[in-house]
Amino acid sequence: KGFYPSIPLILHAAPTMLRPYLLASLALVSGYQVAVLPRACPPALRTSSPVAGLFDALKGKGGSDRREADSEAQLRAMEEMRELRRDPVEYEVMKNRRRNYGTASQAAKSGNIPAGWGSAVDEASGARYFFDEETKQTSWEPPAEMLEQMVAILEDIQRKEMQEVVDSVAGSQ
Protein backbone atom coordinates (compact mmCIF):
# COMPACT_ATOMS: atom_id res chain seq x y z
CA LYS A 1 0.00 0.00 0.00
CA GLY A 2 2.84 2.38 0.79
CA PHE A 3 4.51 1.73 -2.56
CA TYR A 4 1.43 2.80 -4.61
CA PRO A 5 0.04 5.82 -2.75
CA SER A 6 -1.60 7.48 -5.76
CA ILE A 7 -3.36 4.65 -7.60
CA PRO A 8 -6.59 6.66 -8.01
CA LEU A 9 -4.53 9.49 -9.51
CA ILE A 10 -2.75 7.11 -11.91
CA LEU A 11 -6.04 5.55 -12.95
CA HIS A 12 -7.66 8.94 -13.45
CA ALA A 13 -4.80 10.08 -15.73
CA ALA A 14 -4.75 6.86 -17.78
CA PRO A 15 -6.80 6.67 -20.97
CA THR A 16 -10.15 4.93 -20.52
CA MET A 17 -9.22 1.94 -22.65
CA LEU A 18 -6.04 1.27 -20.64
CA ARG A 19 -7.57 1.43 -17.16
CA PRO A 20 -8.61 -2.27 -16.91
CA TYR A 21 -5.14 -3.36 -17.99
CA LEU A 22 -3.49 -0.95 -15.59
CA LEU A 23 -5.67 -2.18 -12.73
CA ALA A 24 -4.89 -5.81 -13.51
CA SER A 25 -1.14 -5.19 -13.73
CA LEU A 26 -1.11 -3.24 -10.46
CA ALA A 27 -3.02 -6.02 -8.74
CA LEU A 28 -0.64 -8.67 -10.06
CA VAL A 29 2.58 -6.81 -9.28
CA SER A 30 1.73 -5.47 -5.85
CA GLY A 31 -0.81 -7.88 -4.49
CA TYR A 32 -2.98 -4.82 -4.02
CA GLN A 33 -6.68 -5.62 -4.04
CA VAL A 34 -8.60 -3.36 -6.32
CA ALA A 35 -12.33 -2.98 -6.01
CA VAL A 36 -14.03 -3.18 -9.39
CA LEU A 37 -16.28 -0.20 -9.93
CA PRO A 38 -19.50 -0.62 -11.90
CA ARG A 39 -19.31 0.58 -15.50
CA ALA A 40 -21.26 3.58 -16.58
CA CYS A 41 -22.76 1.61 -19.45
CA PRO A 42 -22.83 -2.19 -19.20
CA PRO A 43 -21.51 -4.00 -22.30
CA ALA A 44 -24.92 -5.48 -23.02
CA LEU A 45 -26.46 -2.01 -23.44
CA ARG A 46 -23.64 -0.67 -25.59
CA THR A 47 -24.85 -0.32 -29.19
CA SER A 48 -21.50 0.28 -30.85
CA SER A 49 -17.86 -0.50 -30.40
CA PRO A 50 -15.87 1.70 -28.02
CA VAL A 51 -13.70 2.69 -30.97
CA ALA A 52 -16.58 3.35 -33.36
CA GLY A 53 -15.99 6.48 -35.38
CA LEU A 54 -12.27 6.54 -34.70
CA PHE A 55 -11.31 6.12 -38.35
CA ASP A 56 -14.33 7.81 -39.94
CA ALA A 57 -12.18 10.76 -41.02
CA LEU A 58 -10.05 8.47 -43.15
CA LYS A 59 -12.82 6.67 -44.95
CA GLY A 60 -15.98 7.81 -46.65
CA LYS A 61 -17.05 11.42 -46.93
CA GLY A 62 -14.22 12.18 -49.35
CA GLY A 63 -11.43 10.86 -47.13
CA SER A 64 -10.03 8.57 -49.80
CA ASP A 65 -10.71 11.22 -52.44
CA ARG A 66 -8.74 13.75 -50.40
CA ARG A 67 -5.81 11.33 -50.00
CA GLU A 68 -5.92 10.61 -53.72
CA ALA A 69 -5.94 14.33 -54.56
CA ASP A 70 -3.01 14.93 -52.18
CA SER A 71 -1.07 12.09 -53.77
CA GLU A 72 -1.74 13.45 -57.25
CA ALA A 73 -0.63 16.95 -56.17
CA GLN A 74 2.59 15.54 -54.73
CA LEU A 75 3.21 13.57 -57.92
CA ARG A 76 2.67 16.68 -60.07
CA ALA A 77 5.07 18.68 -57.87
CA MET A 78 7.70 15.93 -58.16
CA GLU A 79 7.29 15.81 -61.94
CA GLU A 80 7.61 19.60 -62.19
CA MET A 81 10.80 19.47 -60.09
CA ARG A 82 12.18 16.65 -62.28
CA GLU A 83 11.48 18.71 -65.42
CA LEU A 84 13.11 21.76 -63.85
CA ARG A 85 16.21 19.76 -62.95
CA ARG A 86 16.58 18.66 -66.56
CA ASP A 87 17.43 22.28 -67.39
CA PRO A 88 20.43 23.01 -65.14
CA VAL A 89 20.43 26.73 -65.91
CA GLU A 90 16.81 27.29 -64.84
CA TYR A 91 17.29 25.01 -61.83
CA GLU A 92 20.22 27.12 -60.58
CA VAL A 93 18.27 30.33 -61.15
CA MET A 94 15.32 28.93 -59.18
CA LYS A 95 17.61 27.79 -56.35
CA ASN A 96 19.15 31.27 -56.11
CA ARG A 97 15.85 33.18 -56.14
CA ARG A 98 15.69 33.80 -52.37
CA ARG A 99 19.33 34.88 -52.30
CA ASN A 100 18.63 37.19 -55.24
CA TYR A 101 15.79 38.87 -53.34
CA GLY A 102 18.11 39.45 -50.39
CA THR A 103 20.82 40.83 -52.68
CA ALA A 104 18.32 43.10 -54.44
CA SER A 105 16.95 44.37 -51.12
CA GLN A 106 20.45 45.16 -49.80
CA ALA A 107 21.39 46.88 -53.06
CA ALA A 108 18.22 48.98 -52.95
CA LYS A 109 18.84 50.00 -49.33
CA SER A 110 22.32 51.17 -50.28
CA GLY A 111 20.89 53.23 -53.15
CA ASN A 112 21.75 50.95 -56.07
CA ILE A 113 18.41 50.84 -57.90
CA PRO A 114 17.28 50.30 -61.50
CA ALA A 115 16.24 52.99 -63.95
CA GLY A 116 12.76 54.40 -63.42
CA TRP A 117 13.10 54.41 -59.65
CA GLY A 118 14.43 57.04 -57.30
CA SER A 119 15.91 56.93 -53.85
CA ALA A 120 16.84 59.60 -51.36
CA VAL A 121 17.68 59.95 -47.69
CA ASP A 122 15.20 61.78 -45.48
CA GLU A 123 17.03 64.66 -43.76
CA ALA A 124 14.94 64.50 -40.59
CA SER A 125 15.21 60.76 -39.89
CA GLY A 126 18.27 59.77 -41.93
CA ALA A 127 16.30 56.84 -43.39
CA ARG A 128 16.26 56.02 -47.09
CA TYR A 129 12.98 56.21 -48.97
CA PHE A 130 12.12 55.08 -52.47
CA PHE A 131 9.90 56.53 -55.16
CA ASP A 132 8.63 55.61 -58.59
CA GLU A 133 9.83 58.37 -60.94
CA GLU A 134 6.77 57.97 -63.14
CA THR A 135 3.97 57.91 -60.53
CA LYS A 136 5.87 59.75 -57.75
CA GLN A 137 4.59 57.17 -55.26
CA THR A 138 6.92 56.86 -52.24
CA SER A 139 7.74 54.06 -49.82
CA TRP A 140 10.07 53.58 -46.85
CA GLU A 141 10.70 49.97 -47.87
CA PRO A 142 11.94 48.92 -51.31
CA PRO A 143 8.77 48.49 -53.44
CA ALA A 144 7.98 44.94 -54.56
CA GLU A 145 7.85 46.01 -58.23
CA MET A 146 11.35 47.46 -57.98
CA LEU A 147 12.69 44.32 -56.26
CA GLU A 148 11.07 42.13 -58.94
CA GLN A 149 12.79 44.19 -61.61
CA MET A 150 16.15 43.90 -59.80
CA VAL A 151 15.76 40.14 -59.31
CA ALA A 152 14.93 39.75 -63.01
CA ILE A 153 18.19 41.58 -63.87
CA LEU A 154 20.17 39.33 -61.50
CA GLU A 155 18.53 36.21 -62.92
CA ASP A 156 19.33 37.27 -66.50
CA ILE A 157 23.00 37.72 -65.55
CA GLN A 158 23.03 34.33 -63.80
CA ARG A 159 21.38 32.65 -66.81
CA LYS A 160 24.04 34.01 -69.13
CA GLU A 161 26.87 32.93 -66.81
CA MET A 162 25.41 29.46 -66.24
CA GLN A 163 24.75 28.96 -69.96
CA GLU A 164 28.40 29.81 -70.67
CA VAL A 165 29.48 27.18 -68.10
CA VAL A 166 27.12 24.55 -69.54
CA ASP A 167 28.29 25.31 -73.09
CA SER A 168 31.97 25.12 -72.10
CA VAL A 169 31.43 21.78 -70.34
CA ALA A 170 29.45 20.42 -73.29
CA GLY A 171 32.10 21.69 -75.73
CA SER A 172 34.97 20.05 -73.85
CA GLN A 173 33.38 16.60 -74.03
Side-chain angles (χ1 to χ4, degrees), residues 104-113 119 128 130 141-142:
S105 179
Q106 290 301 320
K109 289 178 182 176
S110 67
N112 187 5
I113 55 176
S119 169
R128 182 172 297 278
F130 305 92
E141 293 296 318

Side-chain angles (χ1 to χ4, degrees), residues 2-3 5 13 17-18 27 30 34 36 43 46 53 61 66 70 79 99 105 117 134 171:
F3 190 70
M17 292 178 65
L18 293 178
S30 66
V34 180
V36 179
R46 194 176 296 150
K61 296 185 180 178
R66 185 182 69 226
D70 290 346
E79 287 173 351
R99 185 180 313 144
S105 179
W117 296 91
E134 193 174 303

Side-chain angles (χ1 to χ4, degrees), residues 110-169:
S110 67
N112 187 5
I113 55 176
W117 296 91
S119 169
V121 176
D122 182 42
E123 294 174 7
S125 67
R128 182 172 297 278
Y129 66 94
F130 305 92
F131 59 91
D132 184 342
E133 291 178 347
E134 193 174 303
T135 65
K136 306 296 184 208
Q137 192 174 19
T138 61
S139 171
W140 289 106
E141 293 296 318
E145 299 88 13
M146 181 179 72
L147 289 178
E148 287 286 335
Q149 189 177 357
M150 293 173 76
V151 167
I153 293 169
L154 286 171
E155 288 177 348
D156 286 342
I157 293 169
Q158 290 170 352
R159 275 188 191 91
K160 288 176 187 172
E161 291 173 354
M162 283 297 298
Q163 192 61 50
E164 289 174 5
V165 170
V166 168
D167 292 343
S168 69
V169 169

Side-chain angles (χ1 to χ4, degrees), residues 29-41:
V29 171
S30 66
Y32 193 82
Q33 291 188 350
V34 180
V36 179
L37 300 174
R39 293 179 136 185
C41 180

Side-chain angles (χ1 to χ4, degrees), residues 2-15:
F3 190 70
Y4 299 102
S6 59
I7 290 175
L9 180 63
I10 292 171
L11 291 177
H12 180 70

